[in-house]
Structures are given as structure tokens and as C-alpha cells.
Amino acid sequence: MRFYLGLATTFHDPALALVGPDGTVLFAEATERFLQYKRAPNCEPDIPARVIALVQEYVPAGSEIVVASSWGAQFTDFLRGQAGTGAFDLMALAAHSTALNRSFVPEQAERVFIADLHGAQERVGHGTLLALNQGARATGTPRATIAGQRRYAHHFCHAAYGLWGSPFDAATALVVDGMGETGAAAIYRLQDGRITELRRHRGRGSLGFLYGLITDLAGFDQVKGEEWKIMGLAPYGRPDPELAALLAQLCTIEGGRLRYAEAATIQAVAAEIRARRPADALETGWADLARCGQDLFATLMDVLVAEAATLAPADNLVIAGGCGLNSSYNGRVLDRSGFTRLHVPSAPADDGNAVGAAWLAYAEDRLDWAGPPPGQRPLTPYLGARVSTTAMERLAEQEPRARRVGHDAATRAAAEILAAGGLVGWVQGRAEFGPRALGNRSILADPRPEGAKDALNAKVKYREAFRPFAPSILAEAGPDWFEAYADSPYMERTLVWREHVRARVPAVVHQDGTGRLQSVTPERNPAYAALIRAFADITGVPILLNTSFNVMGKPILDSAEDAILMFYTTGLDALVVEDWLVVK
């Protein structure tokens, strides 16, 4: 039997995925979860301990494993050639300028990124080899053997994950991120199960890195992945024609195409914006710049979406790549384009490429390149590890308030605690693949109190007051609460709350009247749907405030031990882990 291990191998957000002989995604997880290291920069995706556990659980003895990664062979050879000239040696990297270049990042930093990318490609599969070797020590023979190593173009991996994981039989995909092999955007078509590349952008200009520069100028840090703070802060800003005019110099629209500025212009614009930056921006952010930056991003994305519609007219649009995390734009794109349906996967950034690479290796072996079976569409986001409840059993030996009560009782108790204004840590089933908690690794609260958001920040999350919290809503109730409601299973878009309901759930209504919702159904997540319904039975509101089960600066939890630690060191009132309940 042949299995496919996909590895996302960029210098940030590494991940691994395991696809079975029939194309089924058996497992997918970002490395940051296992390591508890935010974004896991420069870490290997195939940590031996995780691979050993995967092989033992899913791979029968005597099987083959194909290792697939997310940057193309030609590009990897180019990097190898650059390394051979000494271009990635420390002093060679140090000799580059620290000034901004045409990619909107410092030249030196970009070269270091590329050097790190080279290192990641050279080490592809080493962790898997070590895992198989370690597993062979007990028996003398490995449980599985590596049958080959394959590399696929970065944007092709994004497109494969986005298109084959969508609910669509035919669709157009727009991939937009920081960088690929030739540029930072590409357009693909899905037809009859096959993916065709229609256009690959070329050049160093990058909409992803442009948004990152705006993030830095507004007082945040793109290296930490804080672009989402721009989305949260933008509704608090005012339109500023002078700031907008400065930003517009960075990328112009000529003949329906994007034209990025030269390095000298980028440096001059950045310098002028820094000179105008308020003194408190590094502490509180710069709302007006965030507003102008988000508006510019939307305008430029519209150009790329229009290009995709021209090259591949279709009803269905898929957006992938790191820019697919811009939920504010995603919520408006259908109104701004000719497309009628949108799919953004749960992990549109580089972590999702682990699934894309594995699926491409599977498709290549099929010879017709038709991808995984349609029965998997849309792909569930619940693909990560389960937590062991052993820690809860040990806790119960010392803590009389920790009890195994059964799922129904835990659900009822959690709903009652939430309706009374309590904060609940909720851990169920398999972890979500992607950056957002979707009801399996969540901190939950009642969305009705005006001060619920501030209380959650003060007791648990410790994050900026301007950042919104997301609503999880029973999908059947969606049209009653949102204008132009659209199913949103992955919190991938913001929609506008109906005016007359906003006062009922103020904790999840953002400054501009929107909410980044998650549509919940019993088919997608029975345990979470049951909890929301139980809460609705008590309160009449089929909505919960949902945020990721972590504290600021840390990834979403990986184990029950992580959950217990946060329960006792934060202001959580209750913790539910599977059918275990502990209250303060």
C-alpha cells in the first residue's frame, strides 16, 4: 500500500499531512501545535515523534511512503546553485542592504528568507527517515519504506488544496501570498477533476508583502504574523486622503494589471509614513493607516479577481495563499465580482500546502491527475490530533471538582455556565487544521453581555481591545442574523449583522457592524452544534462567542495538559475535555 506524506516547507508555518492510498486525508496539522511555538519558524514539519505516531496509527506494516513537499524541483535546484556560490553564507547575507526593496521587505531580510527556504528544502524528509529508523530498532525492519521524494510548485500546492478541498466540481482559483517560485500570485482552473495553470505572475512585487509592510508601518510586526491586527483595527480608522495617496504609490493599476513601485519609491513612501506616524502607534496601532491599507488591499485584490474571472469565467471562486486569511475582503468579494460562490479553505496559508503536496503526489500516481475522490468535498477542517484524557484522570485524583460526567451532561453544564456569564474552555475530537478554532479547541463565552469581550481579554486572552471576537452560529439561523448570509464553515469571511439584532449580541459585533462568523451544523461538528443548541434553548440566542484556546503569543493548545494549565492560570470558569468537566 502506498501513502503520501505532504510537507509544507516554507520558513514559517510548517505542517505535515498524511494521505491514504485512496486519496483520503488521514491527518493534517501545523507544526506549531505540537511544538507550542507560534508559527514554528525554521522548524522541520516532520518531527520524528509525530511521524512515528502517525505511522503506527495509520500505516500498515510493509507499506510505502512517498514524501511530497511544497516547492518545485526547478526552484530547489536554483537555490542549491545559489548556495554553491556562497550566496547564503553568513557574511554574504550580512553584506546585503537593510533598506526596503521591490518586495516591500528589507533586502537583507529577503535574502535570509531565501537562504532559510533553501535549508528547509535540503532537509525535506530527514525527520521521516529518522522516525522510520527509530521505529525499526525494536523489530530490525522499518514499518514502512520511503518510495520516493517529489516536489511541487508552491502555488500549485495552494491550488490543489484549495480546489480539491472545495465543494465545487468546477471553479477558478486565485492564489495570492508573499512569494512563490516566480511571483506572488497565480490563477488556476478546476475542470473534470483536473487542475490547469492559467497564469503565473512574475516579479518581486507582492501583495502579501505589501500588506506586511503596512502592518509594520501601522505599529505591528509581520514577522510574528500580525497582519490580522490590521483587519481588526481598520474599522476604527478614518479615511485619510493623504495617507491613501502615499500608499497608492506603492502599487498602481495600469491596463487592468498591477504595477509595483521601484525600490526608491517604496523607501521614500515608507519614510514619509514613518515621519507621520503618531507617537503612540507602536503601542496602540495606527487606525487610520490600517483603514487606508485595508482599502488599498481590497482595491488591488479586485484587480486580481477580475483577471481570474476573465481568464476562467465561472460561478465558483476559490481563494488560497496567505492573503486568503483576509476575512474582511472575503466577505465582500462576491459583491465586487462576477462570481456567485466562494470557498476559502480552513488553512489557506502555507500550512495548507502539506495537504496540497500530498494530494498532488497521489494524483501523479493516478496518471490522469484527477485528484482525490469527490466524496471528500468539502474537506473537513477536523484533521489534527486528538487529546488524551489521561491528564484529566490524573487531575481527578487530586481535584474533586474534576469529573467524568458523559458528553450530554458536559454539554448541558457548559451551556448553563455560558448562559450565566461564565467562560468555558472546550476541547473535543480532532484539532482544527488552520489558524482558527472551529469549536474543537475553543474558549467560549456568552455573546450577549456588552462587557463580555473586555472580560475575556482581561481574564484570558490579554490582547488588544480593538480585535474582535468571532460568532459561531447554527447555520439554519444564519439568514435571520446576517444580511446576505452565506455559509461560512471555516470563519473565512465577515458578513454584516442585521441592524435589529446587533444589540442582542454586542460582544461579537465589530465596529463596522460585521462579524467573522462560523456556520455550524450537526453534520460538520455534532458536539459543538449540540452545545450551541443547548445554549439557544436557555437564552433564545443560537450563537456563541468563539475564540481560540490559547493565550496571546502562543499557538492553540495541543494537549489536555495545555488546557489544564490555562484553566488554572487564567480566568476560565470551566473546562470541558471530551466528557470530562472541571469547574472553579
Side-chain angles (χ1 to χ4, degrees), residues 261-320:
E262 299 293 330
T265 300
I266 294 170
Q267 293 164 15
V269 168
E272 188 166 351
I273 290 176
R274 289 192 189 100
R276 291 167 50 99
R277 185 161 58 189
D280 62 350
L282 296 180
E283 295 183 5
T284 61
W286 188 359
D288 291 353
L289 182 63
R291 168 69 178 272
C292 294
Q294 177 66 28
D295 289 346
L296 175 64
F297 175 85
T299 298
L300 300 180
M301 278 290 291
D302 284 346
V303 174
L304 297 177
V305 170
E307 180 184 20
T310 298
L311 290 176
D315 292 331
N316 304 318
L317 174 65
V318 171
I319 296 179

Side-chain angles (χ1 to χ4, degrees), residues 44-61:
E44 310 306 324
D46 52 341
I47 298 170
R50 199 55 126 192
V51 175
I52 289 170
L54 285 179
V55 170
Q56 289 176 342
E57 182 172 359
Y58 294 108
V59 180

Side-chain angles (χ1 to χ4, degrees), residues 565-583:
L565 176 64
M566 280 186 274
F567 174 69
Y568 282 110
T569 57
T570 69
L572 288 176
D573 298 293
L575 172 65
V576 176
V577 179
E578 298 296 351
D579 58 349
W580 284 83
L581 171 69
V582 57
V583 296

Side-chain angles (χ1 to χ4, degrees), residues 214-301:
I214 293 168
T215 301
D216 291 339
L217 293 173
F220 306 121
D221 188 348
Q222 65 171 311
V223 175
K224 295 180 181 179
E226 293 185 336
E227 289 91 340
W228 66 83
K229 294 185 180 182
I230 296 295
M231 287 182 285
L233 186 58
Y236 292 87
R238 299 163 301 175
D240 184 323
E242 293 184 7
L243 276 179
L246 280 171
L247 291 177
Q249 295 180 45
L250 299 175
C251 185
T252 57
I253 302 169
E254 298 181 9
R257 295 286 182 89
L258 302 184
R259 183 176 180 83
Y260 293 96
E262 299 293 330
T265 300
I266 294 170
Q267 293 164 15
V269 168
E272 188 166 351
I273 290 176
R274 289 192 189 100
R276 291 167 50 99
R277 185 161 58 189
D280 62 350
L282 296 180
E283 295 183 5
T284 61
W286 188 359
D288 291 353
L289 182 63
R291 168 69 178 272
C292 294
Q294 177 66 28
D295 289 346
L296 175 64
F297 175 85
T299 298
L300 300 180
M301 278 290 291

Side-chain angles (χ1 to χ4, degrees), residues 361-443:
Y362 165 81
E364 184 174 0
D365 278 353
R366 287 193 60 187
L367 300 180
D368 62 359
W369 287 87
Q376 289 196 53
R377 302 175 188 165
L379 181 65
T380 177
Y382 306 108
L383 297 167
R386 297 180 181 274
V387 300
S388 168
T389 58
T390 302
M392 300 300 294
E393 296 168 10
R394 293 198 303 266
L395 177 65
E397 295 173 1
Q398 307 295 327
E399 172 59 86
R401 291 170 295 182
R403 297 172 296 136
R404 190 172 191 176
V405 297
H407 284 286
D408 289 344
T411 298
R412 288 194 301 272
E416 291 168 359
I417 292 168
L418 289 165
L423 303 178
V424 175
W426 179 260
V427 180
Q428 298 289 314
R430 300 184 66 174
E432 302 90 337
F433 184 47
R436 291 161 181 157
L438 300 173
N440 279 13
R441 302 289 184 273
S442 294
I443 294 173

